[in-house]
Structures are given as C-alpha cells and as structure tokens.
Amino acid sequence: KTKAEIRSMMSKRFQINDINEISPKQASIEIQGGVLTVGMKYERRVSLLGNIDLVARFDKAVEIVAN
C-alpha cells in the first residue's frame, strides 16, 4: 500500500473511534524492504490548577512485515 492509502485507512479508524486531537498527517510512515513502520508521537497538555499543567506524552511505532 502507498503512504496515502495508509493515511486514508488511519483517518477512517480515527473517525470511527472519535479521535480528534491528532491527525493521520502527523504519523510517520516508512516503507523499506517489505517492512512498514508507522509511528505516532504527540503531546497533550491541559491546565489542571492555576499554573499547573497535566501533560501526557505518546510515542509509539509499529512494524509490520509483508508476507
């Protein structure tokens, strides 16, 4: 599959799961030698109390080997 097709599939899954904070455009997609690597890295920051913020970081990559 092409990078555009993979982003399209991700977009559909994001819509189904009501994921609005991030976009498939933010994903890193690499295809090398029959191995597809899809990664997502983002940070979400919300104000908790006064000048205290709650920060959540996500950094994950998945490798898929073609059969």
Side-chain angles (χ1 to χ4, degrees):
K1 303 219 181 255
T2 67
K3 290 181 181 184
E5 290 172 323
I6 293 166
R7 286 196 199 318
S8 176
M9 291 187 312
M10 289 175 67
S11 180
K12 290 174 187 173
R13 284 169 178 76
F14 281 18
Q15 286 178 337
I16 290 168
N17 291 302
D18 197 29
I19 298 173
N20 302 312
E21 299 295 323
I22 56 175
S23 164
K25 292 178 184 176
Q26 294 174 269
S28 63
I29 300 172
E30 298 296 325
I31 304 169
Q32 290 183 347
V35 177
L36 167 68
T37 304
V38 179
M40 184 69 73
K41 182 176 182 179
Y42 68 94
E43 177 179 293
R44 177 78 167 123
R45 182 180 300 259
V46 293
S47 179
L48 184 62
L49 178 66
N51 64 346
I52 300 172
D53 288 348
L54 179 63
V55 179
R57 290 188 182 117
F58 181 84
D59 187 358
K60 176 81 175 175
V62 177
E63 286 186 353
I64 302 167
V65 179
N67 294 344

